PDB file of all heavy atoms in Angstrom:
ATOM      1  N   SER T   1      21.117   6.208  -2.723  1.00  0.00           N
ATOM      2  CA  SER T   1      20.180   7.255  -3.115  1.00  0.00           C
ATOM      3  C   SER T   1      19.393   7.688  -1.881  1.00  0.00           C
ATOM      4  O   SER T   1      19.396   7.002  -0.843  1.00  0.00           O
ATOM      5  CB  SER T   1      19.216   6.740  -4.181  1.00  0.00           C
ATOM      6  OG  SER T   1      18.332   5.781  -3.614  1.00  0.00           O
ATOM      7  N   GLU T   2      18.704   8.793  -2.003  1.00  0.00           N
ATOM      8  CA  GLU T   2      17.872   9.260  -0.901  1.00  0.00           C
ATOM      9  C   GLU T   2      16.789   8.225  -0.582  1.00  0.00           C
ATOM     10  O   GLU T   2      16.503   7.947   0.580  1.00  0.00           O
ATOM     11  CB  GLU T   2      17.250  10.616  -1.256  1.00  0.00           C
ATOM     12  CG  GLU T   2      16.620  11.305  -0.084  1.00  0.00           C
ATOM     13  CD  GLU T   2      16.308  12.756  -0.349  1.00  0.00           C
ATOM     14  OE1 GLU T   2      16.880  13.365  -1.267  1.00  0.00           O
ATOM     15  OE2 GLU T   2      15.453  13.278   0.393  1.00  0.00           O
ATOM     16  N   ALA T   3      16.218   7.617  -1.609  1.00  0.00           N
ATOM     17  CA  ALA T   3      15.187   6.591  -1.405  1.00  0.00           C
ATOM     18  C   ALA T   3      15.752   5.385  -0.653  1.00  0.00           C
ATOM     19  O   ALA T   3      15.094   4.836   0.237  1.00  0.00           O
ATOM     20  CB  ALA T   3      14.597   6.165  -2.747  1.00  0.00           C
ATOM     21  N   GLU T   4      16.972   4.974  -0.995  1.00  0.00           N
ATOM     22  CA  GLU T   4      17.598   3.845  -0.305  1.00  0.00           C
ATOM     23  C   GLU T   4      17.838   4.168   1.173  1.00  0.00           C
ATOM     24  O   GLU T   4      17.621   3.317   2.041  1.00  0.00           O
ATOM     25  CB  GLU T   4      18.923   3.470  -0.967  1.00  0.00           C
ATOM     26  CG  GLU T   4      18.759   2.820  -2.318  1.00  0.00           C
ATOM     27  CD  GLU T   4      20.071   2.615  -3.043  1.00  0.00           C
ATOM     28  OE1 GLU T   4      20.909   3.556  -3.071  1.00  0.00           O
ATOM     29  OE2 GLU T   4      20.264   1.518  -3.582  1.00  0.00           O
ATOM     30  N   ILE T   5      18.284   5.381   1.448  1.00  0.00           N
ATOM     31  CA  ILE T   5      18.513   5.791   2.835  1.00  0.00           C
ATOM     32  C   ILE T   5      17.204   5.755   3.617  1.00  0.00           C
ATOM     33  O   ILE T   5      17.139   5.211   4.719  1.00  0.00           O
ATOM     34  CB  ILE T   5      19.155   7.199   2.907  1.00  0.00           C
ATOM     35  CG1 ILE T   5      20.543   7.195   2.284  1.00  0.00           C
ATOM     36  CG2 ILE T   5      19.176   7.721   4.350  1.00  0.00           C
ATOM     37  CD1 ILE T   5      21.575   6.377   3.001  1.00  0.00           C
ATOM     38  N   HIS T   6      16.147   6.301   3.031  1.00  0.00           N
ATOM     39  CA  HIS T   6      14.857   6.301   3.721  1.00  0.00           C
ATOM     40  C   HIS T   6      14.346   4.880   3.943  1.00  0.00           C
ATOM     41  O   HIS T   6      13.740   4.585   4.985  1.00  0.00           O
ATOM     42  CB  HIS T   6      13.836   7.146   2.958  1.00  0.00           C
ATOM     43  CG  HIS T   6      14.060   8.611   3.129  1.00  0.00           C
ATOM     44  ND1 HIS T   6      13.855   9.270   4.327  1.00  0.00           N
ATOM     45  CD2 HIS T   6      14.497   9.548   2.270  1.00  0.00           C
ATOM     46  CE1 HIS T   6      14.145  10.546   4.183  1.00  0.00           C
ATOM     47  NE2 HIS T   6      14.545  10.743   2.941  1.00  0.00           N
ATOM     48  N   GLU T   7      14.597   3.991   3.011  1.00  0.00           N
ATOM     49  CA  GLU T   7      14.200   2.595   3.169  1.00  0.00           C
ATOM     50  C   GLU T   7      14.968   1.943   4.322  1.00  0.00           C
ATOM     51  O   GLU T   7      14.386   1.222   5.141  1.00  0.00           O
ATOM     52  CB  GLU T   7      14.448   1.824   1.872  1.00  0.00           C
ATOM     53  CG  GLU T   7      14.000   0.387   1.930  1.00  0.00           C
ATOM     54  CD  GLU T   7      14.206  -0.340   0.616  1.00  0.00           C
ATOM     55  OE1 GLU T   7      14.149   0.300  -0.453  1.00  0.00           O
ATOM     56  OE2 GLU T   7      14.431  -1.556   0.665  1.00  0.00           O
ATOM     57  N   LEU T   8      16.276   2.209   4.403  1.00  0.00           N
ATOM     58  CA  LEU T   8      17.087   1.664   5.495  1.00  0.00           C
ATOM     59  C   LEU T   8      16.643   2.219   6.849  1.00  0.00           C
ATOM     60  O   LEU T   8      16.643   1.497   7.852  1.00  0.00           O
ATOM     61  CB  LEU T   8      18.570   1.959   5.255  1.00  0.00           C
ATOM     62  CG  LEU T   8      19.192   1.227   4.076  1.00  0.00           C
ATOM     63  CD1 LEU T   8      20.579   1.793   3.774  1.00  0.00           C
ATOM     64  CD2 LEU T   8      19.261  -0.267   4.331  1.00  0.00           C
ATOM     65  N   ILE T   9      16.250   3.475   6.871  1.00  0.00           N
ATOM     66  CA  ILE T   9      15.742   4.085   8.103  1.00  0.00           C
ATOM     67  C   ILE T   9      14.418   3.427   8.489  1.00  0.00           C
ATOM     68  O   ILE T   9      14.210   3.062   9.649  1.00  0.00           O
ATOM     69  CB  ILE T   9      15.585   5.606   7.942  1.00  0.00           C
ATOM     70  CG1 ILE T   9      16.968   6.268   7.851  1.00  0.00           C
ATOM     71  CG2 ILE T   9      14.764   6.203   9.080  1.00  0.00           C
ATOM     72  CD1 ILE T   9      16.938   7.710   7.414  1.00  0.00           C
ATOM     73  N   ALA T  10      13.527   3.250   7.521  1.00  0.00           N
ATOM     74  CA  ALA T  10      12.223   2.639   7.794  1.00  0.00           C
ATOM     75  C   ALA T  10      12.373   1.210   8.309  1.00  0.00           C
ATOM     76  O   ALA T  10      11.607   0.771   9.182  1.00  0.00           O
ATOM     77  CB  ALA T  10      11.361   2.662   6.534  1.00  0.00           C
ATOM     78  N   LYS T  11      13.368   0.501   7.797  1.00  0.00           N
ATOM     79  CA  LYS T  11      13.622  -0.874   8.243  1.00  0.00           C
ATOM     80  C   LYS T  11      14.413  -0.929   9.545  1.00  0.00           C
ATOM     81  O   LYS T  11      14.700  -2.000  10.063  1.00  0.00           O
ATOM     82  CB  LYS T  11      14.390  -1.639   7.166  1.00  0.00           C
ATOM     83  CG  LYS T  11      13.571  -1.925   5.936  1.00  0.00           C
ATOM     84  CD  LYS T  11      14.401  -2.684   4.914  1.00  0.00           C
ATOM     85  CE  LYS T  11      13.593  -3.033   3.697  1.00  0.00           C
ATOM     86  NZ  LYS T  11      14.426  -3.749   2.704  1.00  0.00           N
ATOM     87  N   LYS T  12      14.796   0.253  10.061  1.00  0.00           N
ATOM     88  CA  LYS T  12      15.584   0.374  11.295  1.00  0.00           C
ATOM     89  C   LYS T  12      16.925  -0.341  11.184  1.00  0.00           C
ATOM     90  O   LYS T  12      17.415  -0.933  12.145  1.00  0.00           O
ATOM     91  CB  LYS T  12      14.780  -0.107  12.494  1.00  0.00           C
ATOM     92  CG  LYS T  12      13.534   0.719  12.684  1.00  0.00           C
ATOM     93  CD  LYS T  12      12.764   0.335  13.893  1.00  0.00           C
ATOM     94  CE  LYS T  12      11.543   1.237  13.919  1.00  0.00           C
ATOM     95  NZ  LYS T  12      10.831   1.207  15.121  1.00  0.00           N
ATOM     96  N   VAL T  13      17.522  -0.249  10.002  1.00  0.00           N
ATOM     97  CA  VAL T  13      18.823  -0.855   9.739  1.00  0.00           C
ATOM     98  C   VAL T  13      19.934   0.184   9.901  1.00  0.00           C
ATOM     99  O   VAL T  13      21.015  -0.132  10.360  1.00  0.00           O
ATOM    100  CB  VAL T  13      18.853  -1.452   8.310  1.00  0.00           C
ATOM    101  CG1 VAL T  13      20.228  -1.948   7.943  1.00  0.00           C
ATOM    102  CG2 VAL T  13      17.816  -2.559   8.189  1.00  0.00           C
ATOM    103  N   LEU T  14      19.658   1.396   9.542  1.00  0.00           N
ATOM    104  CA  LEU T  14      20.648   2.475   9.553  1.00  0.00           C
ATOM    105  C   LEU T  14      20.571   3.218  10.888  1.00  0.00           C
ATOM    106  O   LEU T  14      19.492   3.691  11.275  1.00  0.00           O
ATOM    107  CB  LEU T  14      20.362   3.446   8.401  1.00  0.00           C
ATOM    108  CG  LEU T  14      21.325   4.587   8.203  1.00  0.00           C
ATOM    109  CD1 LEU T  14      22.709   4.072   7.809  1.00  0.00           C
ATOM    110  CD2 LEU T  14      20.801   5.523   7.122  1.00  0.00           C
ATOM    111  N   PRO T  15      21.697   3.308  11.636  1.00  0.00           N
ATOM    112  CA  PRO T  15      21.651   4.000  12.931  1.00  0.00           C
ATOM    113  C   PRO T  15      21.351   5.481  12.754  1.00  0.00           C
ATOM    114  O   PRO T  15      21.982   6.171  11.956  1.00  0.00           O
ATOM    115  CB  PRO T  15      23.046   3.786  13.513  1.00  0.00           C
ATOM    116  CG  PRO T  15      23.883   3.185  12.460  1.00  0.00           C
ATOM    117  CD  PRO T  15      23.016   2.786  11.321  1.00  0.00           C
ATOM    118  N   HIS T  16      20.366   5.951  13.500  1.00  0.00           N
ATOM    119  CA  HIS T  16      19.959   7.352  13.445  1.00  0.00           C
ATOM    120  C   HIS T  16      19.137   7.671  14.681  1.00  0.00           C
ATOM    121  O   HIS T  16      18.745   6.785  15.424  1.00  0.00           O
ATOM    122  CB  HIS T  16      19.119   7.615  12.191  1.00  0.00           C
ATOM    123  CG  HIS T  16      17.776   6.973  12.231  1.00  0.00           C
ATOM    124  ND1 HIS T  16      17.609   5.611  12.037  1.00  0.00           N
ATOM    125  CD2 HIS T  16      16.543   7.472  12.485  1.00  0.00           C
ATOM    126  CE1 HIS T  16      16.329   5.316  12.150  1.00  0.00           C
ATOM    127  NE2 HIS T  16      15.657   6.426  12.423  1.00  0.00           N
ATOM    128  N   SER T  17      18.890   8.931  14.883  1.00  0.00           N
ATOM    129  CA  SER T  17      17.937   9.352  15.903  1.00  0.00           C
ATOM    130  C   SER T  17      17.003  10.372  15.267  1.00  0.00           C
ATOM    131  O   SER T  17      17.317  10.972  14.237  1.00  0.00           O
ATOM    132  CB  SER T  17      18.634   9.934  17.136  1.00  0.00           C
ATOM    133  OG  SER T  17      19.369  11.075  16.802  1.00  0.00           O
ATOM    134  N   ASN T  18      15.851  10.508  15.874  1.00  0.00           N
ATOM    135  CA  ASN T  18      14.834  11.410  15.365  1.00  0.00           C
ATOM    136  C   ASN T  18      14.323  12.225  16.547  1.00  0.00           C
ATOM    137  O   ASN T  18      13.247  11.952  17.069  1.00  0.00           O
ATOM    138  CB  ASN T  18      13.716  10.580  14.725  1.00  0.00           C
ATOM    139  CG  ASN T  18      12.746  11.415  13.950  1.00  0.00           C
ATOM    140  OD1 ASN T  18      12.488  12.545  14.301  1.00  0.00           O
ATOM    141  ND2 ASN T  18      12.200  10.846  12.909  1.00  0.00           N
ATOM    142  N   PRO T  19      15.115  13.241  16.986  1.00  0.00           N
ATOM    143  CA  PRO T  19      14.769  13.968  18.205  1.00  0.00           C
ATOM    144  C   PRO T  19      13.506  14.822  18.085  1.00  0.00           C
ATOM    145  O   PRO T  19      12.856  15.094  19.074  1.00  0.00           O
ATOM    146  CB  PRO T  19      15.997  14.829  18.477  1.00  0.00           C
ATOM    147  CG  PRO T  19      16.648  14.981  17.148  1.00  0.00           C
ATOM    148  CD  PRO T  19      16.344  13.718  16.389  1.00  0.00           C
ATOM    149  N   MET T  20      13.178  15.237  16.863  1.00  0.00           N
ATOM    150  CA  MET T  20      11.968  16.028  16.617  1.00  0.00           C
ATOM    151  C   MET T  20      11.381  15.576  15.283  1.00  0.00           C
ATOM    152  O   MET T  20      12.088  15.002  14.458  1.00  0.00           O
ATOM    153  CB  MET T  20      12.296  17.520  16.530  1.00  0.00           C
ATOM    154  CG  MET T  20      12.805  18.123  17.814  1.00  0.00           C
ATOM    155  SD  MET T  20      13.097  19.889  17.688  1.00  0.00           S
ATOM    156  CE  MET T  20      14.490  19.951  16.579  1.00  0.00           C
ATOM    157  N   SER T  21      10.131  15.849  15.102  1.00  0.00           N
ATOM    158  CA  SER T  21       9.478  15.513  13.844  1.00  0.00           C
ATOM    159  C   SER T  21      10.245  16.131  12.675  1.00  0.00           C
ATOM    160  O   SER T  21      10.663  17.287  12.731  1.00  0.00           O
ATOM    161  CB  SER T  21       8.045  16.049  13.855  1.00  0.00           C
ATOM    162  OG  SER T  21       7.403  15.734  12.650  1.00  0.00           O
ATOM    163  N   ASN T  22      10.483  15.336  11.644  1.00  0.00           N
ATOM    164  CA  ASN T  22      11.166  15.782  10.424  1.00  0.00           C
ATOM    165  C   ASN T  22      12.634  16.139  10.620  1.00  0.00           C
ATOM    166  O   ASN T  22      13.205  16.838   9.782  1.00  0.00           O
ATOM    167  CB  ASN T  22      10.435  16.955   9.762  1.00  0.00           C
ATOM    168  CG  ASN T  22       9.053  16.569   9.317  1.00  0.00           C
ATOM    169  OD1 ASN T  22       8.829  15.435   8.896  1.00  0.00           O
ATOM    170  ND2 ASN T  22       8.116  17.482   9.423  1.00  0.00           N
ATOM    171  N   VAL T  23      13.244  15.696  11.723  1.00  0.00           N
ATOM    172  CA  VAL T  23      14.668  15.935  11.948  1.00  0.00           C
ATOM    173  C   VAL T  23      15.347  14.586  12.151  1.00  0.00           C
ATOM    174  O   VAL T  23      15.014  13.853  13.069  1.00  0.00           O
ATOM    175  CB  VAL T  23      14.917  16.830  13.186  1.00  0.00           C
ATOM    176  CG1 VAL T  23      16.404  16.964  13.457  1.00  0.00           C
ATOM    177  CG2 VAL T  23      14.271  18.194  13.004  1.00  0.00           C
ATOM    178  N   LEU T  24      16.280  14.276  11.263  1.00  0.00           N
ATOM    179  CA  LEU T  24      17.067  13.053  11.390  1.00  0.00           C
ATOM    180  C   LEU T  24      18.493  13.432  11.744  1.00  0.00           C
ATOM    181  O   LEU T  24      19.068  14.344  11.146  1.00  0.00           O
ATOM    182  CB  LEU T  24      17.056  12.265  10.082  1.00  0.00           C
ATOM    183  CG  LEU T  24      15.727  11.631   9.707  1.00  0.00           C
ATOM    184  CD1 LEU T  24      15.791  11.093   8.288  1.00  0.00           C
ATOM    185  CD2 LEU T  24      15.380  10.525  10.670  1.00  0.00           C
ATOM    186  N   VAL T  25      19.056  12.724  12.719  1.00  0.00           N
ATOM    187  CA  VAL T  25      20.415  12.983  13.169  1.00  0.00           C
ATOM    188  C   VAL T  25      21.197  11.682  13.048  1.00  0.00           C
ATOM    189  O   VAL T  25      20.722  10.621  13.453  1.00  0.00           O
ATOM    190  CB  VAL T  25      20.428  13.493  14.628  1.00  0.00           C
ATOM    191  CG1 VAL T  25      21.855  13.701  15.114  1.00  0.00           C
ATOM    192  CG2 VAL T  25      19.616  14.766  14.752  1.00  0.00           C
ATOM    193  N   PHE T  26      22.398  11.790  12.484  1.00  0.00           N
ATOM    194  CA  PHE T  26      23.266  10.638  12.288  1.00  0.00           C
ATOM    195  C   PHE T  26      24.572  10.879  13.023  1.00  0.00           C
ATOM    196  O   PHE T  26      25.211  11.910  12.831  1.00  0.00           O
ATOM    197  CB  PHE T  26      23.541  10.415  10.799  1.00  0.00           C
ATOM    198  CG  PHE T  26      22.289  10.236   9.997  1.00  0.00           C
ATOM    199  CD1 PHE T  26      21.712  11.305   9.330  1.00  0.00           C
ATOM    200  CD2 PHE T  26      21.678   9.002   9.911  1.00  0.00           C
ATOM    201  CE1 PHE T  26      20.558  11.146   8.590  1.00  0.00           C
ATOM    202  CE2 PHE T  26      20.516   8.819   9.182  1.00  0.00           C
ATOM    203  CZ  PHE T  26      19.958   9.898   8.513  1.00  0.00           C
ATOM    204  N   ASP T  27      24.960   9.940  13.870  1.00  0.00           N
ATOM    205  CA  ASP T  27      26.229   9.994  14.580  1.00  0.00           C
ATOM    206  C   ASP T  27      27.268   9.324  13.682  1.00  0.00           C
ATOM    207  O   ASP T  27      27.124   8.145  13.345  1.00  0.00           O
ATOM    208  CB  ASP T  27      26.087   9.249  15.905  1.00  0.00           C
ATOM    209  CG  ASP T  27      27.356   9.247  16.724  1.00  0.00           C
ATOM    210  OD1 ASP T  27      28.446   8.984  16.158  1.00  0.00           O
ATOM    211  OD2 ASP T  27      27.263   9.477  17.933  1.00  0.00           O
TER     212      ASP T  27
END
């Protein structure tokens, strides 16, 4: 779910980058 993804991002478990505020990028 979207909530699960945000939780994984907050825990720094899911690889992502945040080049600008409110922009998430996934390789």
Side-chain angles (χ1 to χ4, degrees):
S1 69
E2 192 166 340
E4 289 173 315
I5 296 294
H6 284 291
E7 183 178 330
L8 292 169
I9 290 168
K11 290 180 178 179
K12 299 184 181 192
V13 174
L14 183 65
H16 69 285
S17 62
N18 191 327
M20 295 183 292
S21 180
N22 297 325
V23 175
L24 291 170
V25 177
F26 303 96
D27 180 314

